[in-house]
Amino acid sequence: MRRRHRSWLVPSLAALPLALAAALTGSEAKAAGFQLKENSVQGLGRAYAGSAAAPNDCSVVVNNPAAIGELGDRSCLQGDLNIISFSTKLDGGGTDFLGRPLTGDVGDNGGVTKPVPAAYYTRRMNDAWSIGFSLGAPFGFETKYKDTWVGRYEGLLSSLESIDLTFASSFQVSDTFSLGANVFAQFTRAELTQAIDFGTILAGPTNGAILPQEADGFGGLKGDDWGFGFGLGALWKPTDSDRIGLNYHSEVKHTIEGDGTFKVPSNILPLLGGLFVDTDGKADFTTPWYINASWWHTVNDRFSFGVDIGYTNWSSFKELVVEYDNAQPDSVSEFHWKNTWFYSIGGDYRLNERWTVRAGLGYDKTPTHIGTRTPRVPDGNRTWLAFGVGYDYSDHMRFDAGYVHLFVDDADIDHDAVTFSTLQGTFENKGDILGISGTYRF
């Protein structure tokens, strides 16, 4: 049987969480943990209130497949692009194994600015059936610190991106009720790097000839995998003015396989007994299931509003074990994340036949907690303040834009690295999202 115990051998895929995200390139996580909501610019402008029920948005391919038939007789082609900018800085410091202060930069910004694109196509097949396709990113994150920052032993680069290729279909059961489902193939890619304090590892074997922070090396892990999942949706219109939507997105099980790499100072390599050499590795990793419920109400021909409630099953993310192909023991990281809720309210106001303005407010709980929070995941509760605008250029073409400022609670950290250094303090976080989209009906 393989040994499973905590190891300083390589950064584990377990320390994957917050900051950014990915789509076709890579970008930042703007829902709790590493979940991404940025798949609709219309929704962005109202903090995703009514995401599974609001009309005239082709992103229902993923946000509620039951609503595809509500888009009308014409086909829809829609492209969305969100630019996410996130800042995270540590106010604090740490100590090494001997209790001495950790050297390095303290105020390094681990946030980045990245794009999150999405694309949709829908088509009505007959009076009852409609279909849709999409390409987008439901999960992702990235944080990136300088090699010399004070928390280098806990994380440098942390990047995760999941990309879904989705096929969806809806069936109109009656004039007031529709059902929908989708299936998707999900490609997930991850890369993790960190500094390794070989000074701590060798302080005992060398009788203090090498001390903590005197022999830094580097470890990294990079891998990918394909997985498959499904979604379910329902849309009910109890009155001519009300729409209630429900959307479920399944979990996806992955086995991330890739390469573990190391850089070790040449003068200490003979002292490591054949460990810390490049090798293949793998880790089982599951993205959580989530469900959203939405209500949309049309007050009159100018004003409409909605609410959204979402639940994500983060408690399934307990630990992550990296297994190596050579003699190195497995690397285990613990998370024990908490399940989270998301709430939002927002609406649209039609100024005239061409212009629509939007606004919304949302609140998103973090699944992380101080017991297992690391610099890879300096996540805090987020409050969303959203604004948007839409312009109907013609009967066939519409453009939308949206902006969100994220007020992120400070995230306290008190964490021990596997080489027994301690990082303490508070991460000060904030974020901004800017989105644009175009929709063509034909």
Side-chain angles (χ1 to χ4, degrees):
M1 179 179 294
R2 298 193 60 141
R3 287 175 291 165
R4 288 185 57 203
H5 56 80
R6 295 190 74 87
S7 169
W8 23 257
L9 294 178
V10 92
S12 142
L13 250 184
L16 295 177
L18 168 67
L20 294 121
L24 304 179
T25 50
S27 37
E28 183 160 43
K30 281 299 152 279
F34 48 85
Q35 184 180 1
L36 287 173
K37 289 185 176 293
E38 290 72 20
N39 57 23
S40 165
V41 172
Q42 279 194 63
L44 181 74
R46 60 176 90 96
Y48 294 98
S51 64
N56 302 318
D57 189 345
C58 301
S59 69
V60 291
V61 173
V62 294
N63 288 327
N64 186 0
I68 298 175
E70 297 291 318
L71 295 172
D73 294 331
R74 292 185 294 179
S75 297
C76 174
L77 186 63
Q78 180 173 308
D80 293 70
L81 177 64
N82 288 283
I83 308 296
I84 301 176
S85 178
F86 195 81
S87 170
T88 180
K89 295 181 179 180
L90 175 67
D91 181 10
T95 56
D96 63 19
F97 177 60
L98 298 179
R100 303 178 305 176
L102 290 175
T103 61
D105 303 326
V106 174
D108 186 25
N109 186 354
V112 297
T113 299
K114 291 292 180 71
V116 180
Y120 306 96
Y121 171 75
T122 67
R123 179 181 177 86
R124 180 184 287 276
M125 304 304 293
N126 53 44
D127 289 343
W129 290 94
S130 298
I131 61 172
F133 300 88
S134 74
L135 183 66
F139 296 99
F141 83 93
E142 184 178 316
T143 49
K144 187 176 183 179
Y145 301 96
K146 295 178 181 178
D147 292 351
T148 57
W149 94 288
V150 69
R152 59 194 178 277
Y153 301 130
E154 302 204 38
L156 293 174
L157 172 66
S158 306
S159 176
L160 168 75
E161 51 188 3
S162 291
I163 303 167
D164 282 7
L165 178 61
T166 303
F167 169 74
S169 180
S170 71
F171 178 73
Q172 186 173 335
V173 179
S174 68
D175 290 341
T176 61
F177 187 67
S178 299
L179 294 172
N182 60 43
V183 293
F184 55 88
Q186 184 176 95
F187 177 73
T188 294
R189 175 171 54 198
E191 182 176 5
L192 300 164
T193 68
Q194 71 185 58
I196 302 175
D197 186 3
F198 289 110
T200 293
I201 295 169
L202 296 173
T206 63
N207 293 318
I210 301 175
L211 294 176
Q213 304 188 72
E214 292 183 353
D216 283 2
F218 172 89
L221 184 63
K222 185 176 183 179
D224 54 56
D225 182 58
W226 282 93
F228 301 91
F230 67 93
L232 301 172
L235 182 69
W236 178 42
K237 297 184 291 184
T239 72
D240 290 340
S241 300
D242 295 284
R243 299 158 61 97
I244 297 173
L246 191 67
N247 185 57
Y248 170 82
H249 185 284
S250 75
E251 68 178 18
V252 180
K253 297 182 182 296
H254 290 280
T255 298
I256 307 291
E257 297 188 58
D259 304 317
T261 58
F262 298 92
K263 293 182 180 178
V264 180
S266 58
N267 63 315
I268 66 170
L269 187 59
L271 305 176
L272 295 173
L275 297 179
F276 300 99
V277 295
D278 294 353
T279 182
D280 295 336
K282 65 179 181 179
D284 291 333
F285 173 72
T286 301
T287 58
W289 62 262
Y290 58 87
I291 189 168
N292 294 315
S294 305
W295 170 54
W296 190 259
H297 179 70
T298 301
V299 178
N300 52 45
D301 60 355
R302 285 186 178 271
F303 179 59
S304 55
F305 69 95
V307 297
D308 217 79
I309 299 176
Y311 178 84
T312 302
N313 186 51
W314 287 114
S315 61
S316 61
F317 194 45
K318 293 180 171 60
E319 68 173 18
L320 202 139
V321 181
V322 181
E323 300 178 355
Y324 302 104
D325 287 352
N326 61 12
Q328 295 179 167
D330 298 344
S331 176
V332 182
S333 295
E334 296 181 354
F335 286 94
H336 300 287
W337 281 10
K338 301 176 181 178
N339 298 329
T340 61
W341 292 90
F342 172 83
Y343 313 91
S344 68
I345 183 170
D348 294 1
Y349 184 79
R350 194 168 182 84
L351 298 174
N352 53 46
E353 292 184 356
R354 293 193 181 274
W355 289 96
T356 300
V357 293
R358 305 182 178 97
L361 186 67
Y363 182 73
D364 200 7
K365 290 281 290 183
T366 177
T368 68
H369 52 91
I370 192 170
T372 59
R373 184 179 291 126
T374 78
R376 298 188 188 274
V377 204
D379 198 11
N381 300 329
R382 302 113 181 268
T383 299
W384 297 52
L385 181 62
F387 302 96
V389 61
Y391 177 70
D392 291 311
Y393 177 78
S394 69
D395 228 12
H396 298 276
M397 180 71 72
R398 188 186 73 242
F399 298 98
D400 293 283
Y403 168 77
V404 165
H405 180 72
L406 293 170
F407 299 90
V408 186
D409 291 352
D410 291 346
D412 294 331
I413 186 171
D414 185 359
H415 192 261
D416 295 332
V418 289
T419 48
F420 309 110
S421 62
T422 298
L423 194 66
Q424 296 177 321
T426 299
F427 278 93
E428 299 173 350
N429 305 316
K430 61 181 180 180
D432 296 279
I433 311 168
L434 178 65
I436 55 173
S437 74
T439 303
Y440 182 68
R441 303 289 187 96
F442 57 98

